[in-house]
Amino acid sequence: NQHAWSNSLVTTTDSFWNEKRKSKDVYAVSDESLRSRVALLITNRNFANERLTRKGAEKDEENMEKLLRSLGYEVVKHNDLTAQVLHTFAEHPKLRDTDSVFVVIMSHGKREFVLGVNHSEENKDEFPVDNIYRHLGPQECPALMNKPKIIIIQACRGETGGSVLVSDSASDKVVCDDIVDDAIRYVHKEKDFISLLSSTPDTVSYRREDLGSFLIQYIAEVFNTCSHEDDIDELFRKVMQRFEEFPDNTKRQMPTKDRCTLTKRFYLFPGH
């Protein structure tokens, strides 16, 4: 193993901070924006159907909250939710001044959905993963335009659902014929996102009841050890690399970077 993984955050040097801040290839981070960072952390542990209880999820919540706080994010925490919550987060007053957001969702899941705690076969309580991108995209959340939005989902994707991805074109406004194109500024409806999902489509994610899920453990170790010099893309690659040394020879899990639309590098600048 190339690293001795750190339990606490290694901080960025002044010279690294000054060098990267001047680069056009790096998302803007300022002293002010660092103080306005905000993250959403959703942990579903206790389900209406007790057989679905996610033992060990409280450890994931603790690890993730500690990491996000150490990176300077105010953590908006929710537990045991049904499928409605991103609306209110999209209106958080700090989003105007933050340089980035993390949205971390830990629950059971299917291929395109995260499950709410009231879920049963008869009474589906499902949150489409697609909605995360819509609620935080420029149309519904202009405060986050051009800012990195980092999505981490710890949930199985172990059943192929019958859902399909559809475009939002049905809701497009018709523009009058006499308006010339360049009078309107279009932004892409989904930009500046990067997501790490805990497994590839149709596969399960593993969790230990004493230590929590492997994904969250590895994220904490990699971010603590490397975020002072690696951008978010590279951090996620190192997390994925950890799964090549999976502790159980009979089981395999591979996280997936998904829907990455970052156009620059995003550094967390820990300790600044």
Side-chain angles (χ1 to χ4, degrees):
N1 195 342
Q2 72 202 72
H3 282 100
W5 299 105
S6 173
N7 290 325
S8 57
L9 208 59
V10 178
T11 55
T12 295
T13 63
D14 287 343
S15 59
F16 185 86
W17 160 255
N18 291 326
E19 173 205 341
K20 293 297 177 194
R21 286 179 70 197
K22 296 189 184 97
S23 169
K24 289 192 182 69
D25 290 332
V26 173
Y27 282 102
V29 174
S30 67
D31 292 317
E32 295 72 38
S33 73
L34 280 166
R35 288 196 293 274
S36 302
R37 283 181 166 177
V38 60
L40 177 64
L41 176 59
I42 297 171
T43 311
N44 285 352
R45 182 189 186 279
N46 305 302
F47 283 70
N49 176 349
E50 288 179 13
R51 292 201 313 273
L52 296 177
T53 298
R54 297 177 63 249
K55 293 180 179 140
E58 62 283 359
K59 190 69 189 161
D60 285 343
E61 180 182 16
E62 187 188 310
N63 287 342
M64 207 65 221
E65 183 176 10
K66 180 184 170 197
L67 176 66
L68 289 168
R69 286 192 192 287
S70 68
L71 289 166
Y73 290 84
E74 175 197 316
V75 180
V76 178
K77 267 202 324 182
H78 293 279
N79 292 81
D80 298 337
L81 284 178
T82 59
Q84 294 301 319
V85 68
L86 270 160
H87 291 297
T88 44
F89 183 70
E91 291 162 6
H92 194 292
K94 271 192 168 181
L95 297 186
R96 239 191 9 259
D97 302 314
T98 188
D99 48 53
S100 55
V101 291
F102 275 78
V103 173
V104 183
I105 301 176
M106 304 185 285
S107 186
H108 289 296
K110 298 182 181 180
R111 182 162 178 165
E112 305 291 353
F113 297 95
V114 174
L115 302 188
V117 292
N118 291 331
H119 184 77
S120 66
E121 281 312 304
E122 307 74 54
N123 171 31
K124 301 226 182 318
D125 184 11
E126 299 177 331
F127 180 78
V129 171
D130 252 20
N131 285 5
I132 301 168
Y133 301 89
R134 204 183 74 230
H135 288 320
L136 300 181
Q139 211 166 6
E140 292 193 23
C141 190
L144 288 177
M145 199 154 73
N146 300 325
K147 297 174 183 179
K149 294 163 276 285
I150 298 116
I151 318 295
I152 296 171
I153 299 178
Q154 163 58 39
C156 291
R157 302 170 73 192
E159 276 176 42
T160 306
S163 57
V164 292
L165 293 174
V166 293
S167 77
D168 280 349
S169 55
S171 63
D172 284 350
K173 309 279 188 295
V174 176
V175 179
C176 305
D177 290 339
D178 59 351
I179 298 180
V180 292
D181 284 355
D182 62 1
I184 296 173
R185 180 164 160 258
Y186 284 97
V187 295
H188 196 281
K189 66 179 179 180
E190 184 175 312
K191 190 172 80 73
D192 309 302
F193 281 94
I194 186 170
S195 306
L196 189 65
L197 310 184
S198 57
S199 56
T200 51
D202 304 320
T203 63
V204 297
S205 304
Y206 294 102
R207 182 177 72 253
R208 280 180 49 169
E209 295 189 358
D210 53 345
L211 296 172
S213 64
F214 291 98
L215 180 75
I216 303 301
Q217 286 175 60
Y218 293 165
I219 284 175
E221 290 171 354
V222 169
F223 277 51
N224 277 334
T225 312
C226 307
S227 66
H228 67 290
E229 59 183 9
D230 288 341
D231 67 298
I232 192 75
D233 221 357
E234 176 63 6
L235 292 170
F236 279 172
R237 189 191 66 76
K238 283 182 174 163
V239 170
M240 292 165 70
Q241 198 174 46
R242 294 292 309 273
F243 281 83
E244 292 186 347
E245 308 152 21
F246 206 61
D248 183 328
N249 288 332
T250 64
K251 295 182 170 65
R252 285 288 173 268
Q253 177 182 337
M254 179 48 65
T256 317
K257 278 191 219 173
D258 196 44
R259 289 168 81 149
C260 181
T261 51
L262 294 183
T263 56
K264 302 177 184 181
R265 294 184 184 279
F266 174 59
Y267 292 95
L268 286 155
F269 299 118
H272 247 275

